[in-house]
Amino acid sequence: MRGLTGTGPSRGPASAQAVTTAAAVLAALALFAAACGTGGTGARDEGPAHDGTTEKAPAAAPSPNPSQTYAKVDAVALVKADPAVSTTVKRDLKPCAGDEYPVDVTYGDLTGGPAEDVVVNVLTCGDAVGVGAYVYRRESGTYKNVFKAEESPVYAEIDRGDLSVTKQVYERGDPVSSPSGENVITYGWDAGRFVQQDFHHTDYGNAAGNGDATPVPSPAG
């Protein structure tokens, strides 16, 4: 019986060793948890940490305003059907190659109408000299001619909401490739018609004669 009772105390050191081992395991687990929390080598290293803020949704793209849209027109048909266009311009308006006509078309707001205005320049095929410049405004579903200039060479364009017309000036003896200067006339839309707002002349300094300058184009009546 003593031998049996003697075995009890003999397990004391083993139990103490087990307790010590368990404590060591717990300490290791605590250190591992601390390492994960500090971002040393834990799971947080696998992805970006969230700061708790809500991500902002991308801003919606702005929709175009009416001035950024236009209805494409058949400029050639528009010019040929226009009674204000001279018969000479209509007769000479032919394709340069295939079905490509010598016309430049610009859309923009010149008159404050319900749709974009249309600026049409009719050119020659060979040297692209402007033979006619026209502005069409949409009214009651159709396009109305509100400006024309047919004193060649002439070219019209939109400049910051105004109509800018450039007219090459030739004096007697000037070759077509070398005009003596140019006139630039600026028109603004006022009370239902284009009104001249500005005029300036540039002298190229290569005049070959003392002929009269080409007259300034006037808006369509």
Side-chain angles (χ1 to χ4, degrees), residues 74-86:
D74 185 342
V76 174
L78 196 62
V79 169
K80 287 191 173 183
D82 184 1
V85 177
S86 69

Side-chain angles (χ1 to χ4, degrees), residues 42-65:
R44 288 186 182 275
D45 290 342
E46 298 180 2
H50 295 282
D51 58 3
T53 59
T54 304
E55 294 183 358
K56 294 182 180 180
S63 57
N65 56 51

Side-chain angles (χ1 to χ4, degrees), residues 36-190:
C36 290
T38 57
T41 57
R44 288 186 182 275
D45 290 342
E46 298 180 2
H50 295 282
D51 58 3
T53 59
T54 304
E55 294 183 358
K56 294 182 180 180
S63 57
N65 56 51
S67 65
Q68 294 174 324
T69 61
Y70 66 93
K72 190 173 182 179
V73 302
D74 185 342
V76 174
L78 196 62
V79 169
K80 287 191 173 183
D82 184 1
V85 177
S86 69
T87 56
T88 301
V89 171
K90 291 180 181 180
R91 184 188 64 239
D92 294 340
L93 181 53
K94 299 177 181 179
C96 296
D99 59 351
E100 297 181 359
Y101 284 83
V103 294
D104 286 348
V105 186
T106 304
Y107 301 87
D109 184 10
L110 285 171
T111 69
E116 299 289 76
D117 301 303
V118 184
V119 179
V120 181
N121 286 283
V122 179
L123 315 171
T124 60
C125 287
D127 44 17
V129 172
V131 296
Y134 312 94
V135 178
Y136 294 92
R137 169 186 165 90
R138 188 170 180 83
E139 295 181 359
S140 302
T142 61
Y143 284 94
K144 177 183 177 183
N145 185 322
V146 291
F147 179 92
K148 73 172 181 178
E150 295 181 332
E151 298 82 10
S152 180
V154 62
Y155 196 88
E157 55 190 335
I158 299 173
D159 182 11
R160 292 172 292 184
D162 292 327
L163 177 64
S164 178
V165 178
T166 301
K167 182 75 175 67
Q168 301 295 325
V169 177
Y170 290 87
E171 295 185 357
R172 187 176 296 110
D174 287 349
V176 175
S177 59
S178 300
S180 296
E182 70 174 16
N183 295 329
V184 178
I185 311 98
T186 302
Y187 298 94
W189 185 256
D190 183 40

